[in-house]
Amino acid sequence: MVRSFAGLRIRERRLVLGLSQTALAREAGISPSYLNLIEHNRRPVAGKVLLALARALDVPPSALGEQATLGLVAALREAAADLPVHDPETHQIEEFVGRYPGWARMISTLDQTNRELRTTVEALGDRLTHDPVLQSDMHEMLTTITAIRSTASILATVDDIEAPQRQRFTRAIHDESQRLSEVAGALTDYFDRTASSDRPPATPEEEVARILETAGYSFTQLEHGGEVEPLLDTLLPKGAAARAELRHWLTRWRNDAEAVPEAVLTDLLATPLDLTVAARKLGVGVAQLMRRLAFRQGQAPLGLIAINGAGQILLRRPLPDWPISRQMAACPLLPVFDALWQPGTTWPVDVQMPGGQSTLAICTAEIDPPHRMGERGRPSATMLIVPDSARHLFAPTDPGTVAAGPGCRVCSRTRCTARIAEPVIAHQL
């Protein structure tokens, strides 16, 4: 069973503030004996008691509750699955995160850095082998070097070359040398651009993801009909491989903002929101409204996953406590996959993770109509991930429940019938 270390975090925060148990209990409106049981993890803490303790300790409730460790636990499970040769004690991850959160964050950061660097090296190696631009430039360099060597060899070994002919050979060497210099310069610029950041993007998708994360998935320059191309020029150089994908993303962001302006969105959120009713009222798709909510800046963060008919993730907005890995496939039990079978329907589901936490997920699916007769439409599904801090934004419902996980390789539900990959973690809830 996953143990709770909320009490340990409460005790550590109390000691940092120099408070006695009696003083903290008085501030929170509970008895010192009850606080003592909480700090020794003999009593769970939630609801009003958690809010009172958080207020007395001057921290947000999420810093004391279980949500504070869930993201780290999932990240360390992923790290353990990636390097099983070291036989990490996966059954003690929760305790490690609870007792040493700083070390846990550092290990998680190092693991993520290692994954990105490894992916980058593999992608660059593949690019050196298959990139048509590099292949063309390398071929041109070898051809030019061969031409220079052949011409220089004639000049060095033939003594009776007439002056006009010798001049032509010399001119040819000069021209080929200049061409070689240009090709070498282009290759140098290519690799300089790749190495210009601490962790260069391995693929166009990775580059776009990094740009979106840096911008907070929000581009207010496009809010009132701003032009895409000037913004695109500031984000990527012309000719960049990721330019077309980023243009598509920015164009869709602008279209969503035009369909649901910020003022309209603010009015919608003034009362609990029913996505289906609101989308019909605005004349937009539910998925479009979901994207607008997820990529709204400065508000309670919402996560988002959008997939195509093949189950590939097209769009992702991760949350700190709901990591969406780029290296691993999503859990096949997430309700976004079920949504593909029921286009036109929007429904909420409580997703329960192996650690016991539950998060509201609102799912919908749609089919883009074909361009001509005889073609198939393109299905897609979108899932809005609503943390507890944002549940009040949506109309109350009685959602169903589904048990899901972070991904098959690191999920502790070893008897899951939907598993598509063997688990690495041995213990089971």
Side-chain angles (χ1 to χ4, degrees):
M1 293 290 295
V2 177
R3 295 178 58 194
S4 168
F5 287 89
L8 178 63
R9 289 190 290 275
I10 291 170
R11 179 176 182 275
E12 290 175 345
R13 178 62 179 172
R14 176 176 64 79
L15 294 177
V16 168
L17 296 178
L19 296 174
S20 66
Q21 278 191 340
T22 301
L24 178 57
R26 183 172 57 252
E27 287 289 328
I30 60 177
S31 67
S33 60
Y34 185 31
L35 177 59
N36 183 64
L37 292 173
I38 290 174
E39 288 192 352
H40 287 84
N41 295 304
R42 295 175 182 172
R43 290 291 185 276
V45 57
K48 293 182 179 180
V49 174
L50 177 63
L51 293 176
L53 287 169
R55 186 165 50 250
L57 294 172
D58 193 26
V59 294
S62 60
L64 302 178
E66 294 309 308
Q67 294 293 327
T69 63
L70 296 178
L72 277 176
V73 169
L76 292 186
R77 289 192 191 282
E78 194 170 338
D82 194 45
L83 293 171
V85 65
H86 297 295
D87 195 24
E89 294 82 0
T90 54
H91 62 286
Q92 294 180 325
I93 287 179
E94 292 85 1
E95 180 174 357
F96 177 73
V97 171
R99 292 189 179 277
Y100 309 107
W103 280 102
R105 284 192 294 270
M106 187 189 74
I107 293 173
S108 173
T109 300
L110 290 175
D111 176 67
Q112 184 63 27
T113 301
N114 176 64
R115 286 171 178 270
E116 292 182 1
L117 289 174
R118 187 171 59 197
T119 303
T120 298
V121 169
E122 292 174 355
L124 286 176
D126 183 71
R127 186 180 297 174
L128 285 171
T129 304
H130 303 292
D131 191 319
V133 175
L134 286 179
Q135 285 186 335
S136 176
D137 286 348
M138 292 298 293
H139 177 74
E140 188 171 358
M141 283 186 67
L142 291 174
T143 301
T144 304
I145 291 171
T146 301
I148 292 173
R149 182 174 181 178
S150 299
T151 306
S153 176
I154 293 174
L155 291 175
T157 58
V158 179
D159 297 328
D160 56 347
I161 300 178
E162 297 181 356
Q165 186 70 18
R166 183 179 295 274
Q167 187 175 6
R168 284 195 294 271
F169 282 142
T170 303
R171 182 65 183 180
I173 291 176
H174 174 271
D175 293 343
E176 294 294 340
S177 298
Q178 187 173 7
R179 180 184 174 197
L180 178 62
S181 177
E182 292 172 354
V183 175
L187 281 173
T188 301
D189 290 342
Y190 180 89
F191 287 111
D192 282 346
R193 286 196 303 271
T194 303
S196 59
S197 62
D198 293 336
R199 295 194 296 258
T203 64
E205 293 77 13
E206 179 73 14
E207 188 166 10
V208 169
R210 189 155 308 166
I211 291 171
L212 299 181
E213 290 169 0
T214 301
Y217 298 87
S218 181
F219 299 91
T220 54
Q221 307 95 314
L222 305 176
E223 190 77 45
H224 302 289
E227 293 295 324
V228 169
E229 288 302 317
L231 176 59
L232 186 62
D233 290 339
T234 65
L235 298 173
L236 280 176
K238 294 184 184 298
R243 199 173 165 91
E245 182 174 347
L246 183 58
R247 179 186 292 108
H248 171 73
W249 204 97
L250 294 175
T251 301
R252 181 173 56 190
W253 198 100
R254 184 187 63 183
N255 293 340
D256 291 350
E258 290 177 351
V260 188
E262 178 65 23
V264 172
L265 203 57
T266 301
D267 291 340
L268 286 176
L269 294 173
T271 56
L273 180 64
D274 184 312
L275 288 174
T276 302
V277 173
R280 186 186 305 115
K281 178 180 178 181
L282 295 173
V284 301
V286 175
Q288 189 174 29
L289 184 55
M290 284 182 172
R291 293 195 300 268
R292 190 72 174 119
L293 290 166
F295 300 137
R296 189 183 185 216
Q297 199 169 32
Q299 306 297 323
L302 302 172
L304 184 134
I305 299 176
I307 64 172
N308 62 14
Q312 297 171 315
I313 295 180
L314 303 175
L315 197 60
R316 57 189 292 278
R317 171 70 193 267
L319 292 177
D321 292 325
W322 189 298
I324 305 171
S325 175
R326 293 194 188 100
Q327 287 81 24
M328 297 176 60
C331 172
L333 291 177
L334 290 179
V336 68
F337 296 102
D338 292 336
L340 285 172
W341 296 90
Q342 302 180 59
T345 304
T346 302
W347 74 93
V349 180
D350 265 326
V351 179
Q352 293 186 346
M353 302 301 277
Q357 74 276 24
S358 178
T359 304
L360 177 65
I362 306 175
C363 304
T364 191
E366 57 189 16
I367 297 179
D368 291 337
H371 295 291
R372 58 182 63 88
M373 187 170 59
E375 290 183 348
R376 289 185 177 181
R378 293 183 176 228
S380 63
T382 304
M383 181 173 76
L384 192 66
I385 304 168
V386 184
D388 288 340
S389 60
R391 281 201 184 215
H392 67 280
L393 297 176
F394 298 89
T397 58
D398 185 18
T401 301
V402 62
C408 289
R409 290 184 60 216
V410 296
C411 182
S412 56
R413 300 185 193 277
T414 53
R415 296 180 181 176
C416 176
T417 57
R419 181 174 294 282
I420 59 176
E422 290 299 315
V424 175
I425 298 174
H427 82 283
Q428 174 183 342
L429 292 178

